[in-house]
Amino acid sequence: MFAFLLIGITLQFAGVPSAAASELKYARNFQIQEQDGYRLITVSQPYEGAGDVQYRYVLYPRGSERPLSVQADAYVEVPVRRAIVLSTTFLAALDILDAEDQLVGVGAHRYVNTPSVLERIADGHIIEVGSETMKNLELMVSAEPEVIFTNIVGSPDYDIHPGLDAMGIASVITAAYMERNLLARAEWIKFLAAFFGNESAAIAHFDAVEARYLTLREQVESIAERPSVLANVPWGNVWYIPSGTSFLANLIRDAGGEYLWSDLHTEGPAPMDFESVYARAIDAEVWINCGYLNTLDAMRAQDERYLDFRAVKAGRIFSETGRVGEGGGNDIWERGFAWPDEILADVVHMLHPDLLPEHELIYYRWVR
């Protein structure tokens, strides 16, 4: 009888073989372990400098007994029926999983770009619970979520999970933004599927975008000429340079570029002054991720020295603001999170325009 019950519980989980549902190829910041009658999910590296900090979550099939003998930060009955997701980076994945109906709250309506989520916002099914450090815990409680997904940075001024735990609401920490390449970030759709169900759709989607990404990467691997690439712009008086192991450095590498700071091995972005970056990057052939400086006039107004850069003179400068909603939400961090092959195609086109001559930029735009 006991064995029969365990088999029944396992079948409720996925509709796909357990090994396939929990197999990870790229993601390093979460693990899914299949146990008798439940799943144990471990999230690691939730923020820069987290060290050995980990969070553990027990997922057990709806209607079964909660396995309280297992120590965890939260126990979640699955599939989840009501959830708040505070990061827009997961909304496109929820759409792929057909799980948008289970979404009852987001951080800020104005940052959302996913059409199916926008429709439910317009219909009044998804409330706004606040953005950044202004999240409203009382509003979250009023939505009666079973679980709230949130990022943390290791600061009591930002992190809200202690407050949620005190109010008896299950909070789940995510760490997709800490992954070092786009495929790893996209693989977090399997993490979401463990909570929301439809794991077959998660696997099928990930396998498809992975295949397209790898095919495109293979096309550029044999190219001998790899243009040098500068990334980002200063924030205030500080230029935060991504490390040589960051997701942006890996994206440039996958697209057939030579990232100028590939020798930088810091845990996060390294703060540098303008003069230091100017000295190394003045002859960079391509400049990407110029953000809010998405016109030459805007660059000139901020600092005329930008116009000295070779990439600017050659017209090979790009901003990642090709798809920004009316409220300011950038779709490269929403849809692009789930479709890394599209981002790679953009960057390959920018670095090697002859390789994908028919490609039209999706998330990027020329700075002119």
Side-chain angles (χ1 to χ4, degrees), residues 117-168:
V117 177
L118 287 172
E119 288 178 11
R120 288 186 53 77
I121 289 174
D123 291 341
H125 296 301
I126 298 175
I127 67 168
E128 181 179 63
V129 298
S131 59
E132 291 84 37
T133 58
M134 301 298 291
K135 296 179 179 67
N136 188 319
L137 298 185
E138 286 71 27
L139 268 178
M140 294 184 193
V141 173
S142 71
E144 301 179 346
E146 295 171 338
V147 61
I148 296 177
F149 295 85
T150 181
N151 296 328
I152 62 174
V153 297
S155 167
D157 294 332
Y158 177 91
D159 300 339
I160 63 166
H161 63 290
L164 295 174
D165 294 342
M167 299 174 80

Side-chain angles (χ1 to χ4, degrees), residues 223-230 252 255-260 283-286 316 347-348 350-353:
I223 295 178
E225 186 176 343
R226 304 175 76 84
S228 54
V229 182
L230 166 66
I252 292 168
E258 189 68 38
Y259 177 53
L260 283 176
D283 289 323
E285 295 168 270
V286 183
R316 301 188 70 185
V347 182
V348 168
M350 289 147 48
L351 303 189
H352 305 282

Side-chain angles (χ1 to χ4, degrees), residues 160-177:
I160 63 166
H161 63 290
L164 295 174
D165 294 342
M167 299 174 80
I169 300 176
S171 61
V172 171
I173 308 301
T174 61
Y177 81 100

Side-chain angles (χ1 to χ4, degrees), residues 57-70:
Y57 306 106
V58 166
L59 279 59
Y60 61 101
R62 187 164 296 281
S64 66
E65 291 293 325
R66 177 184 299 191
L68 290 176
S69 61
V70 184

Side-chain angles (χ1 to χ4, degrees), residues 203-214:
I203 293 170
H205 173 79
F206 181 78
D207 288 349
V209 297
E210 178 202 25
R212 291 194 292 271
Y213 189 101
L214 296 180

